[in-house]
């Protein structure tokens, strides 16, 4: 078929759902108006390890309006079947809520109060008296007690230890990154309702089909008995990919009370009711020759996990394995079981943390060698993916460096640390690279063209903020030859065609490929209907020469010969045309497909006060085809802000005596605010990557957080001569 004219794709459109969002009409999980809904509040454990010896619910139950208090003493036994579709810890098992008296972490849900009003439920929850047989918890990764050992993940090529010993230049350093929480604006929330043995959940989720399958497994009911509805998600960052215990609790509470139940986690409960980016430590050895060619990389990684699940993210090892050419690599990734809840994915999962260590070490090595950090990276550009021997599809990191250096003014930099001042401020610049793998996942989308010339496209995906509604509408509009106003994209219902997790930069690439397939098929169907219809001006035309634009089908080289979808459908007595689009990636891949980026930043440091102020940041990205430039910018700037938070502000602090999070609110867990973000810019290299998928998209959402933290600490070193290896950077570390 003739390629379609492109009008919507590549246009800097504002969000099609923007008006709904700014007028409060976008319905987030807790905002669905469900008749007869009652309210649930979770009671959390105040010890981190031990056994519940008693739960006194008398005072709570005596409150007028309290319907029930549910705990392990009276909760139903739940099936907790295995869920093979889960992408969460394959080792260990999820927390079984209210099934026994064991406490595994501080904040573990141990009871739920259901009442007719939220205030009653909150007050009654405060009246539930719990006694414990508590034991001293082990919550400090640096000083773990004897808990189950999980199997480490190892990777090796060559003989890295030997090569490191004999390297001309050697680096042996330790980097640490504190625990981070996602802190989305919208708290996690669920409304659960049973209709007989059928469960409906209005849920905050990044994976509608995943939540459906998981809740079916927990309750031991068929998948078809669970419906999940999630049209809007107010930020996720990976924290809503899996279903956390409160979703099960809402469903249990609804079943036990016979009422629809709404459960919203409090801001505080977001620090233990859902996962987080774990604490990491990297002991990194880097060896090179005098010209800066890497000869060895040794990386011992340690991370925290819970006693009941081993959360691992293999992306941690990717920076060491394939960012740079290195003949000898040995990496070991060990998780330490602690009396904490299970960590989970967070933006740029694995890669954003693993690359902090590698990108910092590259900067340290560049300084040792007296080589420009960009030049050092260029000297170690691999010819192929050395972790698997595959050729790269598109790897335009060199162009990212060149464009970035030019736009940022890198050449004006005096490489000597502590060489530039602006009044009391020491000025420094730094850069780092980012690489994030492309994830392949099957997806489907339904496409319906109505007799009035409008189209409806549906898929069960989410929109946690990247603008899925808009970008998929853009893609569909061009593929169907409609203006974007005549296309509606709907998402967020498990009755819609199945989709991958809305994470890992998968949505545009994989769901988009299904949308493209469906729209192409539908357009083809309409064209065939026309060329075979004796009453159509297109009768007898070669279908391959027909395109559609503005809802009108016409011969590409003879635009006068054509007709509208409306006329075609009306004449043929068709109320609509409908197809199911699908995308099934090939099992094996001929290329190593990644998104790339280079980040440049300038910081000012007041060394007397230990203050770090980011002054400007530039990211240059090779992400394949950009469908929606304005939304791409939202992604890129948001990713930079996430990285700035990680480097300068964000840190979940635990009291190691009892496992309590001491800064479980947005006043004490610091995230960047507008004043922290003066000047950000993103540039995208033009191009498509068809090894990634049919639409040439590689994905943006994750790679944009990569390199940001390292670029900042590298800039702080350049400003001050002080190398910070422990994130976030605190004032005292610079004094
Ligand atoms: Mo992203 S951590 O996959 O939401």
């Amino acid at each position: 078929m003739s390629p379609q004219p492109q009008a919507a794709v590549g246009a800097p459109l504002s969000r099609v759902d923007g008006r709904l969002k700014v007028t409060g009409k976008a319905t987030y999980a807790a905002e669905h108006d469900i008749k007869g809904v009652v309210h649930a509040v979770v009671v959390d454990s105040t010890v981190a390890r031990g056994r519940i010896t008693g739960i006194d619910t008398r005072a709570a139950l005596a409150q007028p309006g309290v319907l029930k208090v549910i705990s392990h003493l009276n909760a139903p036994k739940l099936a907790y079947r295995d869920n093979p579709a889960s992408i969460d810890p394959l080792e260990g098992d999820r927390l079984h809520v209210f099934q026994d008296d064991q406490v595994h972490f501080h904040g573990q849900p141990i009871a739920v109060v259901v009442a007719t009003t939220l205030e009653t439920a909150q007050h009654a929850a405060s009246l539930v008296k719990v006694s414990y047989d508590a034991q001293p918890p082990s919550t400090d990764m640096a000083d773990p007690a004897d808990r189950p050992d999980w199997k480490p993940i190892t990777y090796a090529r060559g003989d890295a230890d030997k090569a490191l010993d004999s390297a001309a230049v050697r680096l042996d350093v330790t980097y640490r990154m504190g625990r981070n929480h996602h802190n989305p604006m919208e708290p996690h929330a669920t409304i659960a309702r049973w209709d007989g043995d059928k469960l409906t959940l209005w849920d905050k989720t990044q994976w509608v089909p995943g939540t459906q399958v998981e809740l079916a497994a927990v309750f031991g009911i068929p998948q078809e008995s669970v419906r999940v509805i999630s049209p809007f998600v107010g930020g996720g960052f990976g924290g809503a990919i899996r279903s956390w215990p409160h979703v099960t609790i809402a469903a249990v509470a609804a079943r036990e009370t016979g009422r629809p139940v709404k459960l919203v986690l409090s801001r505080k409960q977001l620090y233990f009711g859902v996962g987080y980016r774990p604490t990491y430590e990297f002991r990194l050895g880097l060896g090179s020759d005098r010209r800066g060619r890497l000869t060895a990389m040794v990386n011992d990684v340690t991370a925290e996990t819970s006693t009941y699940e081993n959360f691992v993210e293999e992306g941690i090892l990717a920076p060491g394995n394939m960012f740079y050419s290195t003949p000898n690599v040995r990496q070991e990734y060990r998780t330490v079981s602690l009396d904490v809840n299970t960590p989970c994915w967070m933006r740029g999962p694995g890669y954003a943390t693993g690359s902090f260590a590698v990108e910092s070490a590259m900067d340290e090595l560049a300084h040792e060698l007296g080589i420009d950090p960009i030049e050092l990276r260029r000297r170690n550009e691999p010819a192929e993916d050395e972790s698997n021997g595959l050729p790269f599809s598109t790897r335009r990191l060199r162009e990212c460096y060149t464009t970035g250096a030019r736009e940022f003014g890198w050449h004006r930099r005096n490489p000597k640390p502590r060489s530039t001042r602006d009044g009391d401020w020491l000025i420094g610049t730094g850069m780092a690279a980012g690489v994030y793998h492309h994830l392949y996942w099957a997806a489907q989308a339904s496409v319906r063209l109505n007799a009035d010339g409008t189209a409806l496209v549906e898929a069960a995906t989410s929109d946690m903020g990247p603008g899925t509604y808009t970008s998929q509408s853009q893609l569909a509009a061009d593929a169907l030859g409609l203006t974007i106003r005549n296309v509606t994209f709907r998402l967020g219902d498990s009755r819609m065609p199945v989709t991958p997790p809305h994470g890992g930069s998968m949505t545009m690439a994989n769901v988009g490929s299904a949308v493209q397939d469906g729209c192409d098929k539908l357009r083809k169907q309409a064209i065939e209907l026309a060329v075979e219809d004796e009453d159509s001006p297109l009768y007898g035309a070669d279908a391959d020469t027909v395109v559609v634009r503005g809802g009108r089908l016409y011969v590409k080289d003879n635009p006068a010969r054509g007709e509208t979808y409306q006329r075609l459908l009306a004449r043929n007595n068709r109320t609509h045309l409908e197809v199911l689009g699908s995308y099934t990636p090939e099992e094996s891949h001929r290329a190593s497909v990644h998104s790339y980026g280079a980040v440049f930043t300038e910081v000012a440091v007041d060394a007397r006060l230990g203050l770090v102020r980011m002054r400007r940041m530039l990211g240059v990205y090779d992400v394949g085809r950009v469908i929606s430039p304005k939304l791409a910018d939202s992604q890129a700037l948001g990713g930079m802000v996430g990285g700035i938070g990680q480097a300068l502000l964000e840190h979940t602090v635990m009291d190691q005596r009892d496992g309590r999070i001491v800064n479980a609110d947005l006043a004490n867990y610091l995230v960047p605010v507008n004043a922290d973000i003066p000047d950000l810019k993103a540039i995208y290299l033009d191009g498509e990557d068809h090894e990634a998928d049919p639409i040439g998209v590689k994905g943006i959402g994750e790679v944009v957080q990569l390199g940001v933290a390292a670029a900042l600490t590298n800039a702080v070193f350049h400003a001050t001569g002080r190398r910070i290896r422990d994130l976030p950077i605190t004032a005292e570390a610079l004094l």
Side-chain angles (χ1 to χ4, degrees), residues 206 237-238 241 345-349 464 502-505 702:
Q206 285 175 246
F237 314 108
I241 290 177
W345 318 101
M346 188 164 164
R347 202 163 190 179
M464 65 169 150
H502 178 53
S505 287
E702 316 288 347

Side-chain angles (χ1 to χ4, degrees), residues 171-193:
L171 195 72
D172 178 1
V173 285
T174 300
Y175 300 98
R176 293 189 185 84
M177 301 178 86
R179 191 194 276 200
N180 286 174
H181 271 83
H182 309 77
N183 274 306
M185 269 210 281
E186 181 206 12
H188 288 248
T190 301
I191 300 172
R193 184 180 76 196

